[in-house]
Amino acid sequence: MKIIIIGAGPGGYETAAEAASRGIETILISDGPLGGTCLNEGCIPTKALCAIDAPDQERKQAVIEQLRAGISQLMRNKLITLVEGRAKLLSPRSVEAAGSVYEADAIIIATGSVSASLPIPGAELTIDSAAMLNLSNVPRRLCVIGGGVIGLEFASVYRKFGSEVTVLEFCPGILPRFDTDLAKRLKASLVKRGISIETSARVTAIAPGKVLWTKADKEYETEADCILMAVGRRPNLASLNLDDLGITHGPRGIAVDANMQTNVPGIYAIGDITGGMMLAHVASAHGRRALNHICGTPDGIDFSIVPAAVFTVPEVACVGKTEEECEGMEILTGKANYRANGKAVASGEADGWCKVVAEKASGRILGAHIMGAHASDIIHEAAVLIALGATVSQAGDIIHAHPTLSEVLLAAIRSC
Ligand code: NAD
């Protein structure tokens, strides 16, 4: 068995490593560095900046290089061939890259996504998240267009570095797809930390040093030394030759079935390119699903239970259903505050909150939403409880160590 994987982000390289561990010969083609957006201009450099008090480019680069060396080591496997170049699909079994043609039994497309922009005058005066990560100075005034995940992470980091930060969000609330209670609490906490947030704000144009926007038919201007465009990402479909092969796709990405297979048998697509949840861990789980299908091995991956974390200060994390998604169902909700948790108060991290959503009739836990220190770690306990179908009474009986932040989740479960 031989496969070709196009793209070396978390979807591509993790799937290559997994395929090789199953004895499958793998050709990994990429026109960018190993690790993709996540390692080189996304999750990892952002977290490297979150951990320090100034934009230390040397440290950020050292972190990237250390992790990239780890991936290179993982790819040093006699079953994996790395090809540097842009891939073009020639047929359902062949791909051209770097002047050669490669053939395989199956092809997995994992080319990720690129930053989107707004079609407004002056958009070229803004920078995207990748460019933002390369700044070595701290802008005095930063204006962030988009109060989503990327916008708020940079707003938090640069506020910590000392910038005056304004976030302009088009929707009535920040993090529009998250639980509304959670998003409101995060907004209040960010505002308390000095970030100015305008919601229902429509950006109409960018002029040198300022952003023009409207809200309820009134016109406003925000002066800024740096303007970050963070209004989403779009699938990276460039030069794959999808139309010639008749692969169904649209502006949101390549269409796939539950096995991540496109409408052309033998061609799979995983991760951001499929336009779903643009998260590194979803891309690698997609890759496992595709590989399992190629190998004829069923799996139990549940794509409705995906933990998501936003590395703002404070962090937020969630898994499962939001209260809004339970509309029409009879539910229980339980809430707990970090300020009632011994560890949180003792360690000076009392700004936080947790909500658990459960089905009223069965008591089964459906979702958890956390804002506060280590939310991104605590959320996995909730993911396990949801995946195993635990009820609030079963989960409430599980003894938790004291004093720990995990007791906040337990308190929310018990208060359902
Ligand atoms: P996003 O979709 O999370 O947020 C974009 C925001 O921009 C939305 O709130 C949207 O309402 C707003 N917006 C759209 N048009 C606007 C306009 N004209 N004016 C003002 N606001 C406008 O997208 P993102 O933050 O760019 O992130 C892209 C993807 O990357 C997302 O899928 C995200 O989940 C993923 N990502 C995840 C993480 C993480 O999990 N920690 C980190 C970074 C990125």
Side-chain angles (χ1 to χ4, degrees), residues 1 14 45 83 88 100 134-135 180 183 186 194 201 228 255 260 278 306 349:
M1 165 91 72
E14 289 202 17
V83 177
K88 178 182 170 193
S100 300
N134 290 331
L135 289 186
T180 307
L186 178 66
L228 168 65
M260 312 313 299
M278 292 189 172
V306 176
E349 296 174 318

Side-chain angles (χ1 to χ4, degrees), residues 118 146 148-150 153 168-171 176-177 232-233 278-279 309:
L118 292 176
V149 176
I150 294 181
E153 287 187 352
L168 301 174
E169 165 59 44
F170 180 73
C171 290
R177 285 184 294 272
R233 296 180 64 84
M278 292 189 172
L279 299 171

Side-chain angles (χ1 to χ4, degrees), residues 105-339:
D105 303 295
I107 297 168
I108 300 177
I109 304 169
T111 48
S113 60
V114 292
S115 292
S117 187
L118 292 176
I120 52 170
E124 69 286 352
L125 299 171
T126 66
I127 61 172
D128 67 7
S129 54
M132 192 81 204
L133 283 166
N134 290 331
L135 289 186
S136 35
N137 64 319
V138 175
R140 188 167 72 77
R141 296 160 308 178
L142 168 67
C143 182
V144 178
I145 306 174
V149 176
I150 294 181
L152 296 179
E153 287 187 352
F154 278 102
S156 281
V157 168
Y158 273 84
R159 180 67 200 133
K160 196 174 74 173
F161 292 166
S163 297
E164 281 169 33
V165 181
T166 303
V167 176
L168 301 174
E169 165 59 44
F170 180 73
C171 290
I174 58 169
L175 293 181
R177 285 184 294 272
F178 283 62
D179 184 273
T180 307
D181 268 356
L182 182 77
K184 280 188 186 155
R185 285 188 184 252
L186 178 66
K187 185 178 173 208
S189 185
L190 295 178
V191 167
K192 219 161 113 192
R193 285 161 206 260
I195 297 174
S196 161
I197 301 180
E198 293 290 347
T199 52
S200 303
R202 176 189 290 272
V203 175
T204 52
I206 315 289
K210 62 184 169 197
V211 179
L212 312 179
W213 52 282
T214 61
K215 182 169 176 166
D217 295 331
K218 282 202 185 127
E219 291 180 1
Y220 299 88
E221 280 183 18
T222 296
E223 293 191 349
D225 306 297
C226 176
I227 304 163
L228 168 65
M229 181 73 82
V231 294
R233 296 180 64 84
R234 56 183 173 78
N236 181 16
L237 301 163
S239 67
L240 285 167
N241 199 25
L242 301 174
D243 289 327
D244 281 1
L245 272 84
I247 297 175
T248 307
H249 67 94
R252 281 184 52 81
I254 298 178
V256 288
D257 63 16
N259 294 312
M260 312 313 299
Q261 190 164 220
T262 67
N263 60 313
V264 176
I267 301 188
Y268 295 76
I270 63 169
D272 290 9
I273 190 83
T274 62
M277 286 193 213
M278 292 189 172
L279 299 171
H281 45 289
V282 169
S284 43
H286 279 172
R288 277 190 23 242
R289 167 61 58 81
L291 207 51
N292 287 335
H293 188 250
I294 292 166
C295 299
T297 321
D299 66 51
I301 302 169
D302 183 344
F303 287 102
S304 72
I305 308 171
V306 176
V310 187
F311 296 88
T312 39
V313 183
E315 283 183 9
V316 301
C318 56
V319 65
K321 286 196 174 356
T322 62
E323 203 171 329
E324 293 73 34
E325 285 169 344
C326 293
E327 205 189 313
M329 287 174 74
E330 281 208 89
I331 55 164
L332 304 167
T333 57
K335 294 171 189 169
N337 285 306
Y338 271 52
R339 64 170 181 272

